[in-house]
Amino acid sequence: MDFEVAYTPQQQRFRDEVRAFLEVNVPAILRTTHARDGDTYEEYQAQRELGRKLGVKGWLYPTAPKQYGGGGLSVDEAIILNEEMDRFDMTLPPYSDSATLAAPTIQVWGTPEQKQRLLPPMYRGELRTWQLLTEPGAGSDLASVQTRAVKDGDDYVVSGQKIFVGTDYGADQLWTLAVTDPNAPRHENLSWLMIDFRAPGITVQPMELLTRSDAGGQKNSVFFDQVRVPGDNLVGGENNGWKVASTHLELEHGGGGRVGTDKLFPRVVEYCKTHLLDGVPIIKHQDARDLLMDYFIESEIQRLFGVRNYWLSHANKPRSYEGPQLSMWRKWSNVLRSHMLLKLLGYHALTSDPAWTVAEGQVELNHRSAIVGTHPGGTIEVQKLIMARRIGIGRTAREEAGRLE
Ligand SMILES: Cc1cc2nc3c(=O)[nH]c(=O)nc-3n(C[C@H](O)[C@H](O)[C@H](O)COP(=O)(O)OP(=O)(O)OC[C@H]3O[C@@H](n4cnc5c(N)ncnc54)[C@H](O)[C@@H]3O)c2cc1C
């Protein structure tokens, strides 16, 4: 067995091509190092433009099928693309988009006509979706959603409220879970609809959280008041929504993985080398080095779980507990690491005042984000629960991962 990652000359050439492309196409506005708690409109537009350019080359969704506008590339090439984006502290896509969850779900559950109509604009970065699952009475217990979709001729008429959803600057399509049969048993009453963001009867109301950055931007409540949706936008069959959700949630619960390194760590190390405590650089103190090493170990585990899951997902390998394992670890470890930084840096970790801040406000932002970040896509407790069921603890029969093909 050889754990040394080695790239072939052909893969190295691909990396060179990607790097050269990004050097030319990543604008200065996306190369900032200061803390960005959410994006300005100009930054968002620059991210979208970069996304469309990547989409034209098939690099936005590199492993998605070519016939629907994806890149049809190998997982190795996709990892290279992600690593090169990570050099700019960006992911694929470079803006928050629930298409990363909706598109693979439609690929599994959509009709041929729906795939042909809905997937290409997502894979090319031409439209963005929000995922609308959570409601005031249905978060961890997602199957309790109340938003109603009532059949009316060929259409559905949707009414209800979603919370903690979306981002800044709107969307084009809303990927929404709703009740289509209120009399059916739990888990047999739901369906997924793709809803046009501009349809009459939709109101968006911003929510203020501790931070926007780890939430993918501004969170909102979305109200549906008798919103008419064409019947052919129902994906996966009527009242089959819980099965469809198993695909969506598998990816959201960490199953999609992530390729990326902790950008804060080297900046904190640099700070500790250049700032004094009791007259000597912080890094010379044994307890500071100890904390930095604990931090490094934590973030390395997260990175490795992330790459493993990205590979499992994009190489279509079987999986079980790995998604919730990453999700739980990332959430828990972010909180732990933010406390380590507080211990290491004291009040400097809690301020963005230029006179006292560390890493241009990134440490302070990280502290808030870690707390907010324990919720999106299922809380720590919920991930632990799913993991337990996957390894045969807590239920008599082992639960399987969601359907991904
Ligand atoms: C920043 C952010 C971004 C989000 N983005 C989206 C989005 O884009 N789309 C979307 O639809 N939703 C989104 N959400 C909502 C998120 O999915 C929910 O907040 C989450 O699923 C928890 O639901 P809840 O807030 O209703 O808490 P609750 O479900 O009420 O849980 C409250 C507490 O009880 C615990 N708990 C609940 N059930 C159990 C159990 N069975 N065992 C043990 N403990 C349990 C939870 O862990 C939690 O600590 C976002 C939330 C946040 C904060």
Side-chain angles (χ1 to χ4, degrees):
M1 191 179 289
D2 184 1
F3 281 102
E4 191 63 45
V5 178
Y7 291 98
T8 64
Q10 194 185 352
Q11 287 168 339
Q12 286 295 1
R13 279 195 296 280
F14 181 65
R15 184 186 294 283
D16 293 343
E17 186 190 345
V18 174
R19 191 168 292 189
F21 173 87
L22 293 178
E23 280 303 335
V24 171
N25 288 290
V26 175
I29 193 173
L30 299 181
R31 297 181 187 221
T32 51
T33 53
H34 64 270
R36 292 197 347 236
D37 192 5
D39 301 310
T40 64
Y41 186 64
E42 289 69 31
E43 286 163 347
Y44 168 63
Q45 287 300 341
Q47 291 163 1
R48 291 298 303 273
E49 194 185 335
L50 177 60
R52 284 189 292 271
K53 286 181 180 168
L54 289 162
V56 168
K57 294 181 80 69
W59 289 357
L60 191 60
Y61 287 83
T63 58
K66 241 183 166 155
Q67 80 181 107
Y68 300 122
L73 297 176
S74 69
V75 66
D76 298 332
E77 288 164 316
I79 288 177
I80 289 171
L81 273 160
N82 275 281
E83 284 174 347
E84 292 304 314
M85 288 294 283
D86 187 58
R87 291 179 68 238
F88 296 94
D89 202 9
M90 285 193 279
T91 54
L92 285 174
Y95 47 89
S96 169
D97 192 340
S98 304
T100 51
L101 309 168
T105 308
I106 292 168
Q107 226 165 269
V108 174
W109 297 96
T111 62
E113 183 279 324
Q114 285 173 332
K115 291 183 200 177
Q116 206 59 60
R117 177 164 50 92
L118 298 171
L119 295 178
M122 293 187 206
Y123 289 149
R124 289 197 296 257
E126 288 161 7
L127 62 77
R128 129 156 123 164
T129 67
W130 288 355
Q131 51 154 343
L132 269 55
L133 289 77
T134 308
E135 299 184 3
S140 304
D141 182 17
L142 185 60
S144 291
V145 294
Q146 297 292 316
T147 293
R148 280 282 280 126
V150 180
K151 193 93 204 240
D152 183 29
D154 288 340
D155 299 341
Y156 289 89
V157 177
V158 178
S159 297
Q161 182 194 351
K162 299 286 179 178
I163 54 168
F164 290 123
V165 296
T167 55
D168 305 273
Y169 314 123
D172 301 286
Q173 298 283 335
L174 304 176
W175 177 232
T176 307
L177 187 62
V179 175
T180 34
D181 183 354
N183 300 316
R186 187 175 158 85
H187 297 144
E188 294 172 27
N189 57 342
L190 305 171
S191 305
W192 285 88
L193 291 158
M194 197 56 106
I195 304 178
D196 190 331
F197 185 67
R198 283 160 288 269
I202 295 176
T203 313
V204 177
Q205 194 177 298
M207 299 172 79
E208 285 305 325
L209 304 185
L210 256 181
T211 170
R212 293 165 158 210
S213 59
D214 207 53
Q218 173 75 59
K219 287 288 128 183
N220 310 279
S221 290
V222 172
F223 298 88
F224 293 102
D225 182 9
Q226 305 274 310
V227 177
R228 192 161 280 277
V229 183
D232 56 11
N233 274 15
L234 185 139
V235 176
E238 198 173 79
N239 302 325
N240 202 35
W242 196 246
K243 288 194 183 129
V244 178
S246 80
T247 305
H248 178 104
L249 294 176
E250 186 63 37
L251 293 166
E252 168 142 56
H253 290 165
R258 185 178 187 278
V259 178
T261 51
D262 185 327
K263 295 287 178 298
L264 197 52
F265 182 69
R267 300 190 71 178
V268 172
V269 170
E270 192 52 36
Y271 179 90
C272 291
K273 284 180 181 168
T274 52
H275 288 74
L276 306 182
L277 179 66
D278 297 335
V280 289
I282 297 170
I283 202 138
K284 296 274 182 199
H285 293 267
Q286 183 56 48
D287 51 351
R289 288 204 293 258
D290 219 36
L291 278 167
L292 284 168
M293 275 318 299
D294 286 345
Y295 182 107
F296 178 72
I297 291 163
E298 288 278 329
S299 67
E300 270 298 283
I301 295 171
Q302 181 176 316
R303 183 181 70 77
L304 292 169
F305 279 159
V307 181
R308 179 200 59 186
N309 285 13
Y310 188 88
W311 169 72
L312 286 172
S313 172
H314 292 265
N316 283 327
K317 299 286 176 193
R319 69 216 84 158
S320 150
Y321 60 85
E322 294 88 351
Q325 182 185 41
L326 166 64
S327 182
M328 194 198 104
W329 182 269
R330 183 170 52 77
K331 289 172 167 141
W332 175 240
S333 170
N334 277 344
V335 174
L336 208 65
R337 276 181 281 153
S338 75
H339 279 279
M340 287 176 189
L341 293 184
L342 185 57
K343 241 173 152 178
L344 178 71
L345 304 164
Y347 57 87
H348 295 273
L350 297 177
T351 179
S352 54
D353 183 325
W356 304 100
T357 191
V358 183
E360 296 174 274
Q362 292 285 6
V363 174
E364 186 274 337
L365 178 60
N366 182 70
H367 208 77
R368 282 183 284 137
S369 303
I371 300 165
V372 173
T374 57
H375 290 83
T379 62
I380 292 170
E381 291 77 15
V382 166
Q383 302 303 337
K384 206 167 173 178
L385 201 80
I386 302 170
M387 227 181 126
R389 290 174 181 176
R390 298 278 170 89
I391 62 172
I393 299 173
R395 287 246 163 122
T396 43
R398 272 179 196 232
E399 222 169 61
E400 287 184 4
R403 191 179 138 190
L404 293 161
E405 284 184 88

